[in-house]
């Protein structure tokens, strides 16, 4: 099930991850057919078949970015206050 609320950052990361995985899956299929390089194909197609994993990964990335933004803001405020 999709989360009841997904913020715009999470949805943007999900869209970008899904786009990168689909493009990577297409290129990995081309590599497998033309050159016999089959390492990336099953991994990327697994992500294409299970997009909720990418959705949860996007949620993790958005939380990490939120923490980084909060730490940067706290450090900026500490520098401005002379602490």
């Amino acid at each position: 099930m999709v989360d009841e609320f997904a913020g715009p950052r999470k949805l943007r990361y999900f869209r970008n991850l899904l786009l990168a995985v689909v493009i990577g899956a297409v290129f990995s299929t081309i590599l497998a057919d033309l050159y016999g390089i089959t390492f990336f194909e099953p991994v990327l197609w697994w992500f294409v078949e299970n997009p909720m994993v990418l959705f949860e990964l996007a949620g993790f990335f958005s939380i990490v970015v939120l923490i980084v933004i909060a730490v940067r803001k706290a450090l900026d405020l500490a520098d401005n206050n002379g602490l």
Side-chain angles (χ1 to χ4, degrees), residues 15-65:
R15 181 198 63 206
N16 293 340
L17 283 171
L18 189 61
L19 184 64
V21 165
V22 169
I23 290 172
V26 169
F27 282 133
S28 69
T29 302
I30 293 170
L31 284 174
D33 289 343
L34 296 178
Y35 301 109
I37 301 171
T38 59
F39 174 75
F40 298 110
E41 189 176 22
V43 174
L44 290 174
W45 281 107
W46 184 83
F47 279 116
V48 169
E49 292 172 358
N50 300 305
M52 289 309 294
V53 174
L54 290 175
F55 191 72
E56 295 300 323
L57 189 61
F60 173 74
F61 286 155
S62 65
I63 289 172
V64 169
V65 168

Side-chain angles (χ1 to χ4, degrees), residues 2-19:
V2 176
D3 291 342
E4 188 173 304
F5 173 76
R9 179 175 286 137
K10 182 176 182 178
L11 293 175
R12 185 178 27 202
Y13 290 162
F14 172 65
R15 181 198 63 206
N16 293 340
L17 283 171
L18 189 61
L19 184 64

